[in-house]
Amino acid sequence: MEQDNRDPRGGSSFSRDAREELAGMLQDGFDHPSTKPVLAWGAMGAVAAAILPVVGVPLGFAAGAGYKFYKRIRPD
């Protein structure tokens, strides 16, 4: 029997979708379609953070990668 991936409000579960996407990225590595864009946005965030005096490079990387990861799961 197939499980329903929708929550009671009518949308799919973000945490379930994120877990599946991350598992696919970890399993497939650079062959997964989301890995390269997420890492590229992380690198752009790190470069932007290096320019800003208040934000550190690791935080910039996490922000850039997190934003793109979110947009890969929820494109709208």
Side-chain angles (χ1 to χ4, degrees):
M1 179 179 253
E2 188 175 332
Q3 289 184 338
D4 189 13
N5 285 344
R6 298 188 153 293
D7 68 7
R9 294 172 295 220
S12 61
S13 170
F14 177 77
S15 61
R16 182 175 297 125
D17 293 344
R19 193 175 329 123
E20 289 174 2
E21 187 74 11
L22 185 59
M25 288 172 66
L26 292 172
Q27 193 172 39
D28 297 340
F30 281 109
D31 293 332
H32 194 277
S34 292
T35 304
K36 291 177 187 175
V38 168
L39 291 178
W41 274 76
M44 286 188 285
V47 169
I51 296 170
L52 298 172
V54 178
V55 181
V57 173
L59 181 61
F61 182 85
Y67 172 76
K68 189 59 177 179
F69 184 72
Y70 175 78
K71 294 308 278 182
R72 293 289 293 188
I73 296 170
R74 296 288 186 262
D76 41 348

